[in-house]
Amino acid sequence: MAGPKFGSFKSESKGDSAAAAGAAAQRRDPYEVLGVGRNATEQEIKSAFRRMALKYHPDKNADDPVASDKFQEATFSYNILSDPDKRRQYDSSGFEAIEADSHELELDLSSLNTVNTMFAALFSKLGVPIKTTVSATVLEEALNGSVEISQLHLGKSVCKKVEKQTAHFYSVDITEEEAKLGLVCRVRSTSKSKFKLLYFEPEENGGLSLALQEDSAKTGKVTSAGMFFLGFPVYRFEHTNSAAAAKDPDSAFFKRLDGFQPCEVNELKEGTHYFAVYGDNFFKSATYTVEVVCAEPFTAEKEKLRSVEAKILAKRSELSKFESEYREVLAKFTEMTSRYAQEMQTIDELLNERNAIHASYTNSPTLKRSSSGSKERPSSKVSKSDDEHSAKKEKKSKSPAMGAPVSDEEGPKKEKTPKERVRRKKWFSIHHLKVDKRRPC
């Protein structure tokens, strides 16, 4: 279950290296921006950022550019310190170490106008990873205790529709025995709506502060999200960037289980607990079904979940070892493939050279086929013309001399009609062929 995320942009896009270096030099230390020490816990970082986000959010300071800059600076700092990997990279090498991984957008849709929301929705459809945050207005109302809360009973599901960038709050009462057995809260949407499942902790002033957040994910024909408080370490799985996976599928495969991280809260105490479903669609409302169940009837499922997650952790450590072996073998394979192509080319060149040497052992001049053919063709034409000339001479000699009397038997030849001429010109006849009309052609 991911921690709460806020802000307008997770980072700046890639640009000129010199400009990026200048921007990195102008940024303030994230610890200094949030006012926490370098050994601050995750909860201290969350609390510090929550105070700054509520103070400088654009919803409350629409005409104050200074507040907008402070809000973006706090957002950028929180995105570094709230991510264990980025925090470790920053502590070791500064901003440059995390610059390559800082290209995902993170938006509070409630602070965008219609045009910007349309652009965000378009980019999301095109596969650009855009993370959204819970509206500062919702968080502020919860912190002030001014939200409407509905009672949710264990084992009973509720179907509702929540408007975009708003939230429905629910309270659940559990006993000590139920807390020991474990609790599961699940939300699903058959209309594939986007939503966030939120868990709030009560404050001393009677308000609620955001503690846990789980974004919906598409699983089959529905979108769903869940929080599992089972009394033992349970893990959440954060999906990787699909665009980065398309560019480098090998690296994406080996980093696939890096998003398998432990949840911050594994068990609940007896008393009242607060959940919320936040509508995360760009334009339309989200239809959902929420239910909270006791884990007592699911003893076998609990053990299976513990076993499967232990295997996933073991597989993650195996992947890191396998990656080094794979890279080594892949480099060797690439080298062998290149050598194979070179050897093939060398062999072909040597064989061609050998054939050329063999062909050079002759005293007769080499003649091209086209020249020999062109020489032979005129002779055949001459022979044909000679044959035709001799045939014409024979016909003349056989024909009767001019003025010689024609016999009555032969008689004068009748003139042929045009129809007879046409019939004579036909050199084939198909009348004798019988066609079976019953068989189709």
Side-chain angles (χ1 to χ4, degrees):
M1 288 162 280
K5 303 284 185 181
F6 306 86
S8 55
F9 287 97
K10 189 171 183 181
S11 73
E12 299 174 356
S13 60
K14 280 185 179 179
D16 193 344
S17 58
Q26 293 174 3
R27 294 185 187 127
R28 287 200 298 156
D29 179 24
Y31 295 99
E32 179 186 344
V33 172
L34 297 181
V36 296
R38 288 191 170 269
N39 296 325
T41 63
E42 185 178 352
Q43 188 59 43
E44 289 173 343
I45 293 171
K46 288 179 183 177
S47 300
F49 174 70
R50 190 177 296 121
R51 288 193 297 269
M52 294 192 69
L54 293 175
K55 183 178 180 180
Y56 297 111
H57 197 276
D59 286 352
K60 299 179 63 178
N61 306 273
D63 300 325
D64 189 351
V66 176
S68 177
D69 292 341
K70 286 184 176 293
F71 177 77
Q72 292 190 17
E73 186 180 39
T75 299
F76 183 74
S77 301
Y78 176 74
N79 285 326
I80 294 174
L81 300 184
S82 63
D83 188 317
D85 292 334
K86 286 185 172 62
R87 184 178 181 181
R88 185 172 58 253
Q89 291 173 358
Y90 174 78
D91 290 342
S92 61
S93 305
F95 287 112
E96 293 181 359
I98 61 174
E99 194 70 31
D101 297 327
S102 302
H103 309 306
E104 293 181 356
L105 294 176
E106 188 164 302
L107 305 173
D108 178 0
L109 297 179
S110 64
S111 64
L112 300 179
N113 57 30
T114 305
V115 176
N116 289 336
T117 304
M118 290 177 63
F119 276 113
L122 177 61
F123 289 141
S124 178
K125 286 285 186 183
L126 293 175
V128 178
I130 298 178
K131 290 186 177 182
T132 56
T133 65
V134 180
S135 169
T137 303
V138 172
L139 296 176
E140 186 176 8
E141 290 175 353
L143 197 59
N144 295 334
S146 58
V147 294
E148 182 180 348
I149 302 175
S150 303
Q151 182 71 28
L152 187 61
H153 300 282
L154 284 179
K156 292 186 178 180
S157 59
V158 175
C159 300
K160 281 190 176 182
K161 182 183 290 187
V162 60
E163 295 299 323
K164 60 185 177 73
Q165 287 82 60
T166 62
H168 289 169
F169 286 79
Y170 298 94
S171 63
V172 180
D173 297 324
I174 60 173
T175 63
E176 183 179 358
E177 183 65 22
E178 290 168 341
K180 287 181 180 179
L181 293 171
L183 205 73
V184 175
C185 179
R186 280 181 55 80
V187 182
R188 66 184 185 279
S189 172
T190 55
S191 61
K192 301 180 184 178
S193 298
K194 293 177 64 179
F195 59 85
K196 297 179 187 294
L197 175 59
L198 311 176
Y199 174 74
F200 288 84
E201 293 178 344
E203 295 288 335
E204 295 179 356
N205 64 348
L208 302 173
S209 62
L210 181 60
L212 300 174
Q213 171 183 312
E214 185 74 17
D215 291 354
S216 62
K218 188 177 178 182
T219 53
K221 296 182 179 180
V222 300
T223 51
S224 61
M227 293 184 179
F228 301 83
F229 309 95
L230 301 175
F232 59 86
V234 178
Y235 290 78
R236 70 176 185 270
F237 186 71
E238 295 180 354
H239 297 277
T240 55
N241 186 347
S242 57
K247 291 181 180 178
D248 190 357
D250 287 345
S251 297
F253 167 73
F254 289 110
K255 292 180 180 179
R256 186 177 180 184
L257 296 181
D258 289 355
F260 195 66
Q261 299 295 330
C263 302
E264 291 86 350
V265 181
N266 296 316
E267 58 183 350
L268 301 177
K269 297 180 180 179
E270 70 170 306
T272 304
H273 296 272
Y274 301 93
F275 296 90
V277 180
Y278 178 81
D280 203 26
N281 285 332
F282 285 100
F283 298 106
K284 61 182 181 179
S285 56
T287 306
Y288 68 91
T289 301
V290 59
E291 62 178 340
V292 179
V293 297
C294 179
E296 181 182 8
F298 304 96
T299 307
E301 284 77 6
K302 285 174 64 176
E303 294 304 319
K304 286 181 180 178
L305 179 62
R306 193 202 297 260
S307 174
V308 167
E309 290 193 339
K311 291 178 181 178
I312 294 175
L313 288 175
K315 183 59 66 177
R316 185 173 64 181
S317 61
E318 289 177 12
L319 271 182
S320 60
K321 297 178 182 178
F322 174 57
E323 182 178 9
S324 58
E325 298 175 3
Y326 174 81
R327 299 291 184 189
E328 183 179 350
V329 173
L330 182 63
K332 190 70 175 176
F333 173 77
T334 305
E335 180 185 350
M336 290 296 102
T337 305
S338 176
R339 181 180 173 184
Y340 175 87
Q342 291 176 359
E343 295 293 345
M344 178 68 74
Q345 183 179 357
T346 303
I347 291 172
D348 289 342
E349 290 175 354
L350 291 174
L351 290 176
N352 291 336
E353 185 178 356
R354 175 179 176 273
N355 293 337
I357 294 172
H358 282 183
S360 63
Y361 284 94
T362 179
N363 290 325
S364 59
T366 57
L367 298 175
K368 294 182 180 179
R369 292 183 180 180
S370 59
S371 60
S372 61
S374 60
K375 287 180 180 178
E376 292 175 0
R377 283 171 190 166
S379 60
S380 62
K381 288 181 180 178
V382 170
S383 61
K384 276 187 178 182
S385 59
D386 292 341
D387 292 341
E388 290 176 0
H389 187 64
S390 59
K392 286 179 181 179
K393 282 185 177 180
E394 289 178 1
K395 283 182 180 179
K396 285 182 181 180
S397 59
K398 287 181 180 179
S399 58
M402 289 182 66
V406 180
S407 62
D408 295 337
E409 293 178 2
E410 291 181 4
K413 291 184 180 179
K414 296 181 180 179
E415 252 185 330
K416 296 175 184 176
T417 61
K419 287 185 179 180
E420 289 177 355
R421 290 176 185 169
V422 173
R423 286 174 186 170
R424 287 281 182 98
K425 284 181 181 178
K426 289 184 180 179
W427 57 275
F428 62 90
S429 177
I430 59 173
H431 295 297
H432 65 282
L433 298 178
K434 294 184 180 179
V435 179
D436 192 350
K437 296 181 179 180
R438 290 175 296 178
R439 294 183 182 179
C441 297

